[in-house]
Amino acid sequence: PIDPEVWKPENPTAARSKLGLPSRGPVILFGAGSGFKDHHKGGDLLIEALPQIARRLQRLGLDQSTLAVFGQSGKSQSVAEITVRFLGRLNDSQLRSAYSAADVMVVPSRLDNWPSTAVEAQACGCPVVAFSIGGLNDIVSDGETGFLVEPFDTEALAEAVVEILADRSSVQSMRSRARDRARELWDPKQVGLEYLKVLTSVAEERRDARRR
């Protein structure tokens, strides 16, 4: 469970200002404990996808794109005309702002069980694009709260990211659905009720077995 009253959307403009991100242009978000250095988190696969993302965005007339990276510090750099900004390590309040500032959160993990970034992002109303592996299949509702693509296919990853960035009405719908789904599935009260159902069911089965 996560607390939806802690992980909740902020005003995107104010969130960008707080983190020193551009007020205009698409913002793509990626993060891990050590940023790009965590091999299993797949940051290098996202870097591989950036030229494809940039070309697609340019064809759509979308420029001034930013990739914001948390968990790692460093000087800003340009990759395929996309500005990469390093946000360093963020506390929970800053993370909430990062999710709120972004148009899309990318979770390109090679291996993952239950990445908290994908859960927290959706609770903050940020759509998620990820490879269809591990627990991400349960976290992301494909086509509703983001997109799941074939594992390690960087072209498919780029296409999914751009599809979200290119359609503002679709993004707003995904933002709303992501927030609603997070509250439906991961609110502590809801999770507690689901555990209670399982435990009650097991207790009833054992009671009936003893009676037989």
Side-chain angles (χ1 to χ4, degrees), residues 16-137:
R16 289 190 181 196
S17 176
K18 186 186 300 185
L19 295 172
L21 293 171
S23 59
R24 296 183 58 192
V27 172
I28 303 163
L29 184 66
F30 167 78
S34 298
F36 289 135
K37 300 174 184 178
D38 287 350
H39 179 73
H40 73 284
K41 292 294 186 180
D44 58 311
L45 297 173
L46 175 55
I47 290 293
E48 186 180 322
L50 283 185
Q52 301 172 66
I53 292 172
R55 285 194 295 270
R56 292 170 186 268
L57 290 177
Q58 286 166 5
R59 286 198 292 267
L60 294 169
L62 296 172
D63 55 7
Q64 300 181 22
S65 303
T66 301
L67 170 61
V69 180
F70 61 83
Q72 181 177 350
S73 299
K75 293 182 178 180
S76 297
Q77 54 188 262
S78 180
V79 178
E81 298 186 26
I82 292 179
T83 301
V84 181
R85 299 279 295 274
F86 294 97
L87 304 178
R89 292 186 177 273
L90 305 181
N91 60 33
D92 284 356
S93 175
Q94 293 167 324
L95 267 177
R96 184 176 61 217
S97 297
Y99 296 134
S100 300
D103 295 293
V104 59
M105 173 81 193
V106 183
V107 185
S109 299
R110 287 184 167 88
L111 177 70
D112 235 325
N113 179 24
W114 192 257
S116 57
T117 54
V119 180
E120 293 162 359
Q122 288 186 102
C124 293
C126 183
V128 173
V129 170
F131 293 128
S132 179
I133 60 104
L136 285 158
N137 290 296

Side-chain angles (χ1 to χ4, degrees), residues 105-168:
M105 173 81 193
V106 183
V107 185
S109 299
R110 287 184 167 88
L111 177 70
D112 235 325
N113 179 24
W114 192 257
S116 57
T117 54
V119 180
E120 293 162 359
Q122 288 186 102
C124 293
C126 183
V128 173
V129 170
F131 293 128
S132 179
I133 60 104
L136 285 158
N137 290 296
D138 296 314
I139 295 173
V140 181
S141 180
D142 188 33
E144 292 189 0
T145 66
F147 291 112
L148 293 167
V149 302
E150 186 69 22
F152 323 132
D153 184 338
T154 57
E155 184 173 350
L157 188 75
E159 183 177 354
V161 168
V162 172
E163 185 169 346
I164 289 177
L165 297 178
D167 189 342
R168 303 310 302 173

